[in-house]
Amino acid sequence: MFALLRDLRTLRRTVDLPAPGRGRSLAIRHVDAGSCNGCEHELTLTSSPYCDLARFGIGVVASPRHADVLLVTGAVTARMREPLLTAYAAMPEPRRVVALGDCALGCDMLGTPYDLVGPVDSLLPVDLRIPGCPPTPDEIAAALVEFLDAKPSRVSGGQPAA
Amino acid sequence: MTVETLRLADRLGQCQETSADAYRQHLAEAAAAGWRFAGTHVSADRDQVRTLMVAPGGETRFHSAPINAGTAPSIVDLIPAATWDEREASELQGVCFSGHEPLRPMINHGPLAEWTVPVHGGDVHQVAVGPIHAGIIESGHFRFHLVGDRILHLDARLFYKHRGLERAAEGADLTAASAYIARACAACSVSNGLAYAHAWEQALGLVPSPELARTRTILLELERTWNLLNDLAAVCAGAGMAAGNHHFAALTERARRLNAALTGHRFLTGSVRVGGSDLIADLAAVRAAREEIETLRGAAARGWRAITFNSTFDDRMVSTGVITAEQARRMGTVGPAARAVGIAADARTTDARLAYEGFQPVVVERAAGDVKARVEQRALELWQSLDLLDRLLDRPLVSAEAEPGEGSGGLGGEIGVGIVESPRGATSCVVERASATDNLARVGRVRLRTASFANWPAVVAAATGDVLVDFPLINKSFELCYACVDR
């Protein structure tokens, strides 16, 4: 085990991202609304040692009740419509929606009209779009860090800012 | 290399059953003779059900039975592996299977009582998990029936991500339809794409040239390599072992970068097409890939030693999530999960369309069918894949075409089958042409039966009797896709 940890220490983060160390964070809840599994695999690797999104205070939380951001992958299927809306409804405000990948953005969605509802923005207000089929972990990380930097904190003293 | 062309008129004709009894009897005989079930689907004309059987030597045969007044004979009492196939056909094609009782809905989600197995008793309680899970996981629902912490029964309800890809592909020509197959699953894009390409090439009477077979074999083994590295990372995560998880996650990232360097896409998507390959790599690119393969091998071996000799990790895996060889045979379990109970079946052994001459499947020495056996099996297969890649990446990749096979006369048939060993086991694809005289080669019906589809019942069986907290680990030891089940 120590050999593994020593190995991990020698790995260098290869992704070109701004320096970490900001006084804020993003708690993300991921919902797969009907993806091909590609976005999930790439999103998972944003926590690999090469990218290590956690050092920016960006992490995936288990419940939408703990989340700032709902990150949605895939064109929304008929059978995922209700679970997606339920997760969004469970989030505290202020809340943000990120659409990840071309399907979620409505590009080249494949399937029957009966089984697909449409892109994420046909159901929810989308604040950030990350294109790609699928976007690489580097691209996802860069977009999320930029999003974190661009958004001034909307919460002060426990109340949403005016 | 000889690859037979499957013609509905001759090869299929002899298995064209006239009655439900003959269909059932011949299937029972085939199963008793060691033929493996590889899928039941409804024909393009919606008037037949066809069951695909595969001989130990790789020969394929369809048994078809007529659908009378919307009803076809069920075979689940003879071949339990057909359960999900019949349930799927009953909902997507509206066929009733007489004798399949109860025929529970699987794709269209109704009230709880319709799709769960009734479990009674004073101390039984249910735990509902999903479709949205706590991590970065695909969508699917699990309904656990528990006594205390112990899983008495599990109902898996998938198909939340059903996109109707196969139906949407109907009527499209073979190139346009391949986009639907590619979108079924990113993690298995080469396996699924190859099964589809092989099916069409069989229907059209085409045989891959040796260079085409080599390029495709490299792609398939690259896909297996990153998947196996990802599986090892996932099983470490399932046991809460962060160091192992991060080590293998870093290797997964390297493997995907290798894919991108060689093919331009991290998931190798778009590198398989029906009838040929346009992938080109010069000597420098191939050499660089081979060097990276060696680096991956060394780093993976170091990681493997570290997690193998970790006793707390070992404790979690031993005797957890057991399936027996008898269960695996009944359920039609394929791939590393089946080999981990000692079933040495591997579609690569008999694959005449790919460059696997002399391939022998490996089986883990301690084939106990538990999480540990499945994890050890994956490590063995990883070394095997890296060896194959090292051998095959010995010269540049050139564009190559499939050629008309001997005796096919270029006429082609109405139906084709492709069977490919994906990282999770044998995946089969059946293509029925809309019309055999159609120059465009349009899809009348396509059915993709992936290894994940075949193996989900095994996850349920493995979880039964274990404690709830071990389920993530058991699930990760199979590491099945939801996307290529739901389609």
Side-chain angles (χ1 to χ4, degrees):
Chain A
M1 188 57 55
F2 290 112
L4 260 192
L5 294 169
R6 204 170 50 234
D7 257 24
L8 285 169
R9 271 192 60 196
T10 64
L11 287 182
R12 288 289 164 261
R13 293 165 184 136
T14 53
V15 186
D16 190 19
L17 293 171
R22 1 181 109 47
R24 56 171 90 106
S25 65
L26 272 186
I28 295 174
R29 173 84 297 265
H30 161 246
V31 175
D32 165 13
S35 80
C36 75
N37 201 4
C39 290
E40 280 67 32
H41 275 292
E42 294 294 55
L43 184 60
T44 303
L45 284 188
T46 58
S47 63
S48 91
Y50 289 114
C51 223
D52 195 13
L53 257 193
R55 69 199 150 117
F56 296 96
I58 301 176
V60 172
V61 292
S63 166
R65 294 200 189 281
H66 308 152
D68 308 309
V69 168
L70 194 68
L71 188 151
V72 188
T73 54
V76 184
T77 62
R79 292 165 184 82
M80 275 309 290
R81 183 181 179 277
E82 284 305 316
L84 174 65
L85 293 176
T86 307
Y88 182 70
M91 292 173 73
E93 292 191 47
R95 55 191 166 177
R96 295 285 177 266
V97 176
V98 175
L100 180 72
D102 284 352
C103 296
L105 300 181
C107 305
D108 197 22
M109 298 184 301
L110 295 182
T112 66
Y114 175 80
D115 295 304
L116 291 182
V117 174
V120 177
D121 68 6
S122 67
L123 290 174
L124 297 173
V126 174
D127 300 283
L128 174 67
R129 294 174 166 79
I130 308 177
C133 186
T136 65
D138 308 11
E139 289 163 355
I140 299 169
L144 289 175
V145 171
E146 194 187 323
F147 188 58
L148 176 65
D149 284 344
K151 282 284 166 198
S153 174
R154 295 287 298 270
V155 181
S156 58
Q159 295 295 319
Chain B
M1 186 186 298
T2 55
V3 179
E4 288 179 73
T5 307
L6 199 70
R7 290 278 211 56
L8 204 60
D10 40 34
R11 290 280 310 285
L12 189 63
Q14 63 186 327
C15 306
Q16 192 72 49
E17 318 290 5
T18 48
S19 71
D21 287 344
Y23 169 73
R24 284 173 48 81
Q25 192 196 328
H26 289 151
L27 277 170
E29 287 167 6
W35 289 59
R36 181 179 72 79
F37 171 82
T40 294
H41 75 279
V42 176
S43 67
D45 297 334
R46 305 278 194 274
D47 62 348
Q48 305 262 328
V49 287
R50 299 199 208 288
T51 294
L52 175 63
M53 299 295 280
V54 185
E59 188 193 343
T60 57
R61 192 164 73 198
F62 281 108
H63 294 262
S64 304
I67 299 170
N68 288 322
T71 304
S74 169
I75 54 166
V76 289
D77 55 329
L78 308 169
I79 303 174
T83 306
W84 278 33
D85 296 72
E86 291 191 359
R87 288 170 71 185
E88 178 186 303
S90 79
E91 283 176 89
L92 293 185
Q93 278 84 32
V95 177
C96 183
F97 287 88
S98 64
H100 189 142
E101 296 286 344
L103 193 54
R104 292 196 173 87
M106 185 164 78
I107 296 167
N108 297 310
H109 300 155
L112 190 69
E114 278 181 13
W115 59 273
T116 50
V117 175
V119 179
H120 302 292
D123 296 327
V124 182
H125 64 282
Q126 293 185 2
V127 171
V129 178
I132 300 171
H133 298 281
I136 303 167
I137 304 171
E138 295 183 82
S139 294
H141 178 88
F142 301 108
R143 182 69 59 147
F144 295 93
H145 306 262
L146 304 170
V147 176
D149 275 343
R150 208 156 282 280
I151 301 166
L152 193 62
H153 178 72
L154 163 61
D155 286 304
R157 180 160 84 166
L158 306 183
F159 295 93
Y160 280 88
K161 299 173 27 147
H162 179 62
R163 291 149 283 164
L165 291 172
E166 290 171 358
R167 174 154 295 187
E170 287 173 11
D173 70 61
L174 65 86
T175 308
S178 68
Y180 295 91
I181 299 301
R183 194 61 67 80
C185 182
C188 312
S189 67
V190 173
S191 311
N192 294 344
L194 266 185
Y196 174 78
H198 285 179
W200 263 115
E201 286 165 15
Q202 193 189 45
L204 297 171
L206 297 171
V207 178
S209 66
E211 278 307 303
L212 178 57
R214 173 175 158 258
T215 299
R216 287 175 167 180
T217 308
I218 290 169
L219 292 169
L220 191 58
E221 293 305 320
L222 284 171
E223 178 168 275
R224 196 182 320 280
T225 296
W226 84 250
N227 268 284
L228 290 172
L229 289 167
N230 174 70
D231 293 352
L232 292 173
V235 84
C236 288
M241 187 189 190
N245 173 239
H246 280 254
H247 182 81
F248 284 102
L251 295 182
T252 309
E253 171 67 28
R254 287 190 73 147
R256 281 204 208 131
R257 288 180 187 176
L258 169 63
N259 293 344
L262 211 53
T263 71
H265 197 283
R266 286 163 58 91
F267 292 87
L268 309 161
T269 310
S271 52
V272 176
R273 75 164 163 87
V274 180
S277 165
D278 308 314
L279 189 63
I280 295 171
D282 61 15
L283 194 59
V286 168
R287 274 199 187 132
R290 212 170 167 190
E291 277 168 25
E292 181 65 4
I293 293 290
E294 283 317 302
T295 310
L296 286 175
R297 190 203 302 273
R302 280 200 303 283
W304 178 248
R305 271 195 299 278
I307 63 173
T308 304
F309 296 112
N310 186 296
S311 58
T312 47
F313 186 48
D314 211 52
D315 280 349
R316 288 290 308 275
M317 298 195 294
V318 174
S319 76
T320 304
V322 178
I323 55 167
T324 64
E326 170 58 21
Q327 281 178 313
R329 279 196 193 89
R330 275 176 59 83
M331 295 183 292
T333 307
V334 293
R339 292 190 280 275
V341 288
I343 301 173
D346 191 315
R348 287 178 283 180
T349 324
T350 54
D351 201 329
R353 288 177 180 268
L354 294 174
Y356 285 117
E357 294 85 4
F359 178 87
Q360 288 294 321
V362 285
V363 167
V364 65
E365 193 180 335
R366 183 189 159 280
D370 55 6
V371 171
K372 185 178 166 72
R374 285 189 288 276
V375 172
E376 287 184 343
Q377 177 68 32
R378 282 204 171 73
L380 289 180
E381 297 191 11
L382 176 61
W383 314 138
Q384 199 179 26
S385 279
L386 296 172
D387 285 345
L388 280 165
L389 284 169
D390 184 56
R391 179 165 65 77
L392 292 165
L393 285 166
D394 61 344
R395 56 186 190 277
L397 299 178
V398 294
S399 64
E401 297 298 316
E403 299 146 358
E406 281 175 47
S408 74
L411 287 172
E414 294 160 21
I415 188 166
V417 181
I419 295 177
V420 167
E421 186 75 15
S422 81
R424 291 163 188 81
T427 285
S428 55
C429 183
V430 178
V431 168
E432 294 194 20
R433 289 176 75 170
S435 157
T437 55
D438 186 351
N439 286 336
L440 271 176
R442 282 179 304 118
V443 170
R445 175 97 173 88
V446 58
R447 171 111 199 286
L448 182 67
R449 188 183 195 268
T450 62
S452 290
F453 186 96
N455 280 359
W456 267 106
V459 176
V460 171
T464 305
D466 278 75
V467 290
L468 184 61
V469 291
D470 274 338
F471 181 72
L473 181 63
I474 295 168
N475 197 7
K476 292 289 172 195
S477 75
F478 288 89
E479 189 61 9
L480 304 179
C481 314
Y482 300 62
C484 61
V485 176
D486 297 358
R487 288 159 290 142

